[in-house]
Amino acid sequence: MKKKTTPYYLIALAVLFCMQSCSTPIEITDTRCENQQNPSGIETSSPLFSWKIVSRERNIYQTAYQIKVADSKQNLADDKELIWDSGKIISGESINIPCADVSLQAATRYYWKVKIWDNRNHESEWSAINTFRMGLLTPQDWHPAQWIALEEIDPKDRIVAGYQLAGNTVTPLEKEPRMPQFRKSFTVDKKVNSATLFISGLGHFELSMNGSKVGENFLDAGWTNYDKTALYVTFDVTGKLNNGENVIGVRLGNGFLHIPRDSTRYRKLLTTFAYPKMIGKLIIEYTDGTKKEIVSDTGWRVTTSPITFSSMYGGEDYDAILEQKGWNRPGFDDRNWQQPVIVSKQIQLAPQIAPPLRVKERFDVQEIIETQPGIYIYDFGQNASGIISLKATGPKGSRITMRPGEYLTHDGFSNQNNSGYPFWYAYTLAGEETESWQPAFTYYGCRYVQVEGAVPAGYPNPYKQPVIEELQLLHTSNNSEAVGTFSCSNTLFNDIYSLIDWSVRSNLASVLTDCPHREKLGWLEVTHLMSSSIAYCYDIKQMYTQMIGNMKNSQLPNGLIPSTSPEYAAFPGDFQDSPEWGSAGVILPWFLYEWYGDVSVLADSYELMKKYTGYLTSRTQDHILYHGLGDWYDLGPHHPGYSQLTSRGLTPTAIYYQDLHIMAQTAQLLGYHEDAIYYRELAEKVKQAFNSKFFNKEKGYYDTGSQTANAMPLYLGLAENTYKESIL
């Protein structure tokens, strides 16, 4: 009798059924707290949780979730002594879920996990355990840490707000501040469970532990109004500590805290808040449950660092002869160092929530050109924001000068005419075998670097000058996560995308800048005009949220939001007060809500938005605004500047209408119903006034017929449907 066999397709179906029944068909991935993975320095009382769902099946969606939070990993694993248990919540929401009605403690690490249910009654496994650490929430949480410095500024030398320089008619300081380096020695004598360092250094700091740099950040801490707020950064240094003596090392640079008044170097602005200073608190938790705190105070030691010049606009000089070997390591003799000065003025400390700047790419030299005897041009083949990295050998005391530039003069020299000059890096050799250096507290936009005082390796060297073994261009940019790219079969479109992407990346700094060299300022119109374009490529939620914080600090008592934020220089007239710029204070919170679904940003920003819109209303004449920069720098018959092709008043009024429209929606969303009615009615009045003044029914277009005059009403909803085709 013939033996029966099972068809292969039935075997395959059985295997597939077994695979699906033997494992959970839904999984949780990309878990986040406050839009970050395992963040530190959280200060919100209700952190927001988010996650993504993966399934092998089609048409699967979440129908419920449950989140649990504990203050230890073991308690969370065992479901004991939970800080918060949401219970099973019937909801399809998976982003920005608040941890509600919980009292979270400063500097404490919390652990959380989530599980979900789907529309086919599948229940997921619990997610991997995630963490978030709270920051230092109040001034008392920082106690007894103090701001310390090498020296304190004389109040008469402060210039806040600063101003834009006109020529070199500046009274120099009697004594420019010296760049300090601090060290603190302490002992670890028990097994460490965790060690967390909260630190702020102004204008910028570089942190080391036992001789090695902590993290990869560049230009910490972020830019703020230093009379109101300083940002602090949280570092997990558990793996950096050793049994026995340990040393914290900190170097400081000027940043925007102080712009040196040296007339031989470039200075866009004149601003002086203070001299460099720092504050820090290290919390060590031992495995036996005890704690130890190391705080900045007079028990630290400080001296002058080898950085002899530090300027955000003029460059950086470093004298390796002044290095003190081992200064940030155990065993160093610091008896010749001095006790730091306690800086009396206190300012609010807030966490740096924006991603830090980091070195994103390294470019090797593509070509070396000897422009004239002894002057060499290094061409890196890519224009980018960043710094240089130098490796050189040479006699002690020799000085290498490096001048970055975006392009070259007709004579082949580095050209800084349009990017702020003179800017240079200078390195003085200690005379060791091979010396390595890169700037710590400034940056520039360039493709070329002009080198003087040294020769490239392999080139003739009759005068025994220093030899450059290696010179690289390090592209620095904000570390916002890349979330999208573009490519197609058309190389022209790909090249255009690449060009724009490099421009964006080179202006993603602590704020969104207008350029990485001449100004480096946060001109606010860029933030909302480019927001969606950038968000398709980079996750900018954290960066933009911090920029909104800067606008809150910059807002004047009358409600005005200055055109630059932080406002390091009080520009005159329209350059400070332009609705197309200041309206970022209204547009950005709404953008973050629409793009990332976070209503808390709107709630936190409502007063900022309301005060600014009220200020604009106070400036109107028959519902029309006439001040501001307008369609700045359009190309008309005369030199670019104020708008030439679009009448004054059209663009600020159009933006004002957009603000009112956003305010009506925001007020409705937040439950301020009377405000919503007020803004809707006012917006309608502005729309009628705008069309009455600027729209020409006979010609079927707005104002002069310029692209701006017609595009803005179409985009912002000011145009009547009847005329949209002719306007377009």
Side-chain angles (χ1 to χ4, degrees), residues 28-100:
I28 298 170
T29 184
D30 197 10
T31 46
R32 300 191 177 213
C33 174
E34 288 295 300
N35 199 44
Q36 304 165 74
Q37 294 179 335
N38 302 321
S40 293
I42 298 297
E43 287 206 354
T44 176
S45 59
S46 299
L48 303 178
F49 300 121
S50 303
W51 56 88
K52 293 178 182 176
I53 304 163
V54 176
S55 176
R56 295 182 303 276
E57 299 181 14
R58 295 181 181 275
N59 193 30
I60 293 292
Y61 55 89
Q62 175 188 303
T63 57
Y65 68 82
Q66 183 175 9
I67 303 172
K68 294 183 179 182
V69 180
D71 59 5
S72 83
K73 191 173 184 178
Q74 193 59 51
N75 283 346
L76 185 62
D78 297 340
D79 286 340
K80 296 191 311 185
E81 300 180 30
L82 297 176
I83 301 296
W84 184 59
D85 184 350
S86 69
K88 185 176 180 179
I89 304 296
I90 305 302
S91 172
E93 294 293 327
S94 60
I95 61 170
N96 301 323
I97 309 299
C99 179

Side-chain angles (χ1 to χ4, degrees), residues 262-382:
D262 180 355
S263 62
T264 66
R265 306 284 271 262
Y266 176 55
R267 303 163 301 171
K268 168 68 178 175
L269 309 175
L270 187 63
T271 303
T272 300
F273 288 89
Y275 289 166
K277 57 184 177 179
M278 66 153 288
I279 188 171
K281 187 171 191 176
L282 172 63
I283 301 176
I284 303 172
E285 300 175 3
Y286 294 111
T287 54
D288 64 5
T290 60
K291 291 185 179 182
K292 182 175 185 175
E293 292 185 354
I294 309 297
V295 300
S296 53
D297 56 20
T298 55
W300 287 50
R301 306 294 287 172
V302 62
T303 192
T304 305
S305 82
I307 300 172
T308 57
F309 182 81
S310 169
S311 173
M312 185 57 69
Y313 288 116
E316 186 168 306
D317 296 349
Y318 188 93
D319 188 345
I321 297 174
L322 302 178
E323 288 180 345
Q324 300 185 49
K325 300 298 182 185
W327 70 275
N328 54 0
R329 296 179 181 274
F332 179 80
D333 184 357
D334 61 11
R335 285 176 294 182
N336 290 329
W337 291 29
Q338 66 188 68
Q339 190 179 79
V341 174
I342 300 298
V343 181
S344 56
K345 184 170 183 177
Q346 301 298 310
I347 55 179
Q348 179 182 351
L349 284 154
Q352 179 172 285
I353 61 172
L357 275 73
R358 289 188 176 165
V359 173
K360 306 296 288 184
E361 279 190 63
R362 291 176 174 262
F363 292 96
D364 294 319
V365 64
Q366 301 298 304
E367 183 181 13
I368 299 175
I369 307 164
E370 189 172 10
T371 296
Q372 70 177 43
I375 297 181
Y376 299 89
I377 298 294
Y378 281 66
D379 180 359
F380 295 98
Q382 175 62 55

